[in-house]
Amino acid sequence: MKDFLLILKTEGSVWTDLSPEQLQKHMEHGTAYIGNLMKEGKLKSANPVDKGSRIVTDKNGILKDGPFNETKEVVAGYFLISAKDIHEAVEIAKANPIFKDIPTAIEVHPMMPVGGN
Amino acid sequence: MSDQSEINQLVDHLFRHESGKMISVLTRIFGSHNMDLAEDVVQDSLLEAIKQWPYKGIPDNPSSWLFMVAKNKALNIVSRDKYKRQYSKEMSHFLQSEWTLEPTLNHPFTDQEITDDQLRMMFTCCHPSISPDSQIALILKTLCGFSIPEIAKAFITTEETINKRLVRARQKIRDNGIPFEVPQGKDIAKRLETVLESIYLLFNEGYSASSGENLIRYEVCEEAIRLVKIIANNPVIENKSGVYALLALMQLNASRFKARQDVEGNILTLEKQNRSLYNYTLMEEGFSNLKRSTSAKEISIYHILATISAYHCSAVEYKLTDWKSILILYDKLVLIDNSPIVLLNRAIALAKVSGAKKAISELEQLRSSSILKSNYLFYSTEAEFFIELNLFSHARTALKKAIRLAPLETERRFLQKRLSDCC
């Protein structure tokens, strides 16, 4: 088993773009999906991203922090999962019901174990 | 709309049968140090049922309704003081994320996990650092759905005393960081012993005396049996010889429970019991568990006591009791446990085999024991031996002492009747 970080990026936000009924459905589907991952013991941690993200950049040797550019693509949250390999991790990402509700991209990053591979 | 008394009855029933499960599940999520929080949530859910059901009607599946309400209350508490409380280490990060909080509370409510959580609860309640009195009070409160007044009645003590024991026990769990888990490896055998001892003590509380609260006492016995069955069915515990022996002992004794009193609540001795009132289904289960318990080579106190009980159960009538075999078993028991109570019981078997005179001289050696000095059973047993030898004035003296020491009205009434027989 290997750990994978799944970063969810959406165009717009479910909180503002969905109707209350759609949002209700969205939450139900999400809860079921996450519940399943937990039951299978594949979920290590998951969290939605709150408002107020900042980005820290180096401008000519000076570190600055500013608002994260959220005009189009929003980081909606992350999942830390454990899966057999990248293929299983991708399948898990594909099964996320969020794809049905809002334009979404999920990045799947394999985590390097202690001591490398 | 449903009748209020019918609802109260149903809630009582559910409290008894579901609250232990709900409290166990919630304690796993909140952590053993938050056990009282789990108890509160469950208590609130039952109050909610009493409030809502008269107007909305009893739901189709009342126990899953209760689980749902308890879960939602837990959800509210966790979202409300997410940052103030420390939950169980294993669950903590899942409870602190909006995405995983609800699935976490949804997830553990499956039958297998409910059973596992009750087993964890047994090991937590019976941690060796908690006193035996507190252990059984805590088991009754968290696992068996007994109220504090009911526990007080079962123990023949005050509600205040029980409350103190519970507070002390929870404090110990918090202070010592006693985890909510079934111990692993080497520890399990030793810890299991403590759990079985506590449950046996619990059973005896229900079985030994017979106050007016007979119903509660029988339920204590049933609960003790239910808990040991959970242990017996768990695959993690490998050596179950002692578990089956204890289960057999309790089932064989409980099968005779209802024949021990007449309709007016008077105590009936083995000799006077109507054996057709024995619960033969329970007895059968007891016999088959006794058989199962002999798979290992070891012999525990439970094995011996269960076998003694089996001899009483299998005697078609009192006269046919195999006292010789029973005496041999007591001789074996004395090798493991030579406490005065065991020796007193052995003397009864000895009287049957070798005569009352021999038994009386055995009792003489126990007379100075501090435990027996204040126990009415010593004097009532002695009196029975004297009666057998027609030494009625000796019997009267012993019975009067017994009457002074007997804690329960039914016991005193029984002894009083014996006293009037001696005149």
Side-chain angles (χ1 to χ4, degrees):
Chain A
M1 290 305 249
K2 204 169 153 63
D3 286 355
F4 294 87
L5 181 67
L6 276 48
I7 299 172
L8 274 73
K9 292 182 168 171
T10 55
E11 280 176 36
S13 155
V14 291
W15 302 107
T16 51
D17 298 4
L18 299 184
S19 72
E21 292 78 28
Q22 284 173 320
L23 189 60
Q24 173 74 23
K25 278 257 154 57
H26 168 77
M27 308 259 271
E28 280 168 19
H29 294 152
T31 301
Y33 169 72
I34 291 168
N36 251 337
L37 286 180
M38 289 174 74
K39 203 184 296 174
E40 291 165 359
K42 288 177 180 158
L43 190 70
K44 298 192 117 179
S45 167
N47 243 310
V49 167
D50 203 353
K51 314 186 268 299
S53 296
R54 308 284 285 185
I55 186 158
V56 179
T57 46
D58 179 353
K59 290 250 165 75
N60 305 322
I62 300 162
L63 288 178
K64 288 204 166 163
D65 72 303
F68 195 82
N69 185 3
E70 287 183 350
T71 43
K72 192 161 180 249
E73 207 181 46
V74 179
V75 178
Y78 79 90
F79 286 74
L80 185 63
I81 61 166
S82 64
K84 208 165 70 238
D85 49 31
I86 186 79
H87 303 295
E88 193 193 5
V90 166
E91 286 313 309
I92 288 170
K94 278 184 182 167
N96 197 317
I98 197 170
F99 287 111
K100 296 195 187 86
D101 298 324
I102 195 161
T104 301
I106 300 183
E107 297 172 3
V108 181
H109 303 280
M111 299 289 97
M112 192 183 287
V114 177
N117 278 308
Chain B
M1 203 174 280
S2 311
D3 180 37
Q4 185 68 48
S5 75
E6 186 194 330
I7 287 167
N8 288 347
Q9 248 177 6
L10 179 64
V11 172
D12 273 354
H13 174 85
L14 287 169
F15 198 100
R16 190 69 99 231
H17 292 93
E18 303 298 330
S19 72
K21 299 177 189 169
M22 292 195 274
I23 292 172
S24 301
V25 165
L26 292 172
T27 301
R28 178 155 65 84
I29 296 169
F30 294 151
S32 56
H33 56 290
N34 284 320
M35 196 184 274
D36 49 346
L37 178 66
E39 290 177 51
D40 290 347
V41 168
V42 171
Q43 175 86 30
D44 280 356
S45 309
L46 287 147
L47 289 176
E48 194 83 33
I50 294 176
K51 266 190 280 174
Q52 285 198 19
W53 292 357
Y55 303 103
K56 298 188 175 171
I58 297 169
D60 290 341
N61 186 341
S63 63
S64 66
W65 185 95
L66 279 174
F67 264 75
M68 182 81 91
V69 172
K71 192 195 75 190
N72 286 333
K73 285 185 187 294
L75 203 64
N76 285 337
I77 288 177
V78 176
S79 355
R80 201 183 56 213
D81 47 34
K82 200 160 26 174
Y83 302 103
K84 277 182 254 152
R85 249 177 220 279
Q86 287 283 320
Y87 296 108
S88 82
K89 280 194 201 93
E90 171 201 357
M91 293 290 179
S92 211
H93 66 274
F94 283 137
L95 292 175
Q96 279 166 9
S97 154
E98 201 60 46
W99 277 357
T100 47
L101 170 57
E102 205 180 326
T104 305
L105 289 170
N106 273 333
H107 164 62
F109 291 74
T110 62
D111 282 346
Q112 186 53 50
E113 289 201 294
I114 290 170
T115 311
D116 291 349
D117 285 342
Q118 290 179 91
L119 188 65
R120 291 189 180 97
M121 184 63 107
M122 280 185 237
F123 278 96
T124 302
C125 291
C126 299
H127 194 271
S129 69
I130 302 171
S131 75
D133 274 353
S134 294
Q135 287 179 12
I136 42 182
L138 198 59
I139 291 180
L140 283 172
K141 181 75 174 31
T142 58
L143 274 163
C144 310
F146 277 61
S147 67
I148 290 173
E150 283 174 329
I151 302 172
K153 270 178 206 157
F155 279 86
I156 324 170
T157 182
T158 63
E159 292 174 26
E160 203 195 330
T161 307
I162 296 301
N163 205 23
K164 268 189 205 149
R165 285 179 195 169
L166 290 171
V167 169
R168 268 201 298 268
R170 291 192 198 103
Q171 189 70 37
K172 266 268 158 38
I173 291 172
R174 262 193 297 270
D175 292 352
N176 297 2
I178 296 171
F180 193 69
E181 64 184 24
V182 175
Q184 305 276 313
K186 289 201 306 288
D187 282 354
I188 194 161
K190 190 100 197 85
R191 290 285 308 278
L192 180 63
E193 225 170 87
T194 319
V195 171
L196 294 183
E197 253 170 52
S198 265
I199 299 178
Y200 180 47
L201 216 58
L202 176 72
F203 180 85
N204 277 343
E205 282 300 328
Y207 194 75
S208 61
S210 37
S211 68
E213 301 297 334
N214 217 11
L215 200 66
I216 293 184
R217 294 186 161 275
Y218 189 67
E219 283 185 20
V220 171
C221 293
E222 281 183 321
E223 280 297 311
I225 291 173
R226 181 179 73 85
L227 295 178
V228 177
K229 274 187 182 165
I230 291 179
I231 303 174
N233 290 331
N234 192 286
V236 176
I237 293 157
E238 280 168 12
N239 183 0
K240 290 195 182 122
S241 167
V243 178
Y244 285 125
L246 176 58
L247 191 53
L249 168 61
M250 298 195 301
Q251 286 172 327
L252 291 170
N253 282 349
S255 74
R256 291 183 275 125
F257 193 98
K258 283 174 180 161
R260 300 183 314 158
Q261 280 188 319
D262 65 14
V263 277
E264 284 140 29
N266 296 308
I267 298 170
L268 297 173
T269 57
L270 266 174
E271 194 175 358
K272 300 271 165 58
Q273 286 169 14
N274 176 356
R275 296 186 178 222
S276 68
L277 293 177
Y278 290 177
N279 179 343
Y280 287 97
T281 322
L282 199 55
M283 203 180 277
E284 278 307 313
E285 277 184 53
F287 278 119
S288 62
N289 282 319
L290 185 57
K291 211 177 271 168
R292 241 174 245 153
S293 77
T294 53
S295 58
K297 280 202 184 90
E298 70 194 55
I299 291 184
S300 67
I301 290 177
Y302 307 130
H303 285 92
I304 299 173
L305 290 173
T307 313
I308 292 172
S309 193
Y311 275 111
H312 286 302
C313 285
S314 59
V316 183
E317 50 183 312
Y318 183 72
K319 276 184 295 195
L320 299 174
T321 309
D322 183 354
W323 288 106
K324 264 191 192 144
S325 299
I326 292 175
L327 183 60
I328 292 170
L329 286 162
Y330 272 114
D331 287 338
K332 279 190 185 153
L333 184 56
V334 169
L335 296 177
I336 308 177
D337 175 7
N338 64 351
S339 65
I341 293 282
V342 171
L343 291 168
L344 177 67
N345 281 307
R346 182 185 170 274
I348 297 172
L350 183 70
K352 297 291 175 191
V353 176
S354 315
K357 215 169 159 189
K358 189 108 195 288
I360 286 173
S361 67
E362 286 281 312
L363 282 193
E364 275 316 307
Q365 295 169 36
L366 297 174
R367 191 176 292 284
S368 55
S369 134
S370 58
I371 298 171
L372 290 185
K373 232 179 229 169
S374 56
N375 192 324
Y376 82 98
L377 286 170
F378 178 83
Y379 300 101
S380 65
T381 306
E382 193 184 30
E384 290 303 320
F385 296 161
F386 285 134
I387 291 169
E388 228 176 285
L389 299 170
N390 295 324
L391 297 168
F392 292 114
S393 77
H394 283 71
R396 279 198 298 273
T397 315
L399 280 169
K400 280 176 195 159
K401 276 186 197 155
I403 290 166
R404 265 205 308 279
L405 292 167
L408 292 180
E409 176 54 33
T410 43
E411 289 158 352
R412 287 192 292 272
R413 212 160 54 207
F414 171 78
L415 296 165
Q416 203 71 52
K417 197 172 158 291
R418 276 318 257 163
L419 186 61
S420 61
D421 292 343
C422 290
C423 294

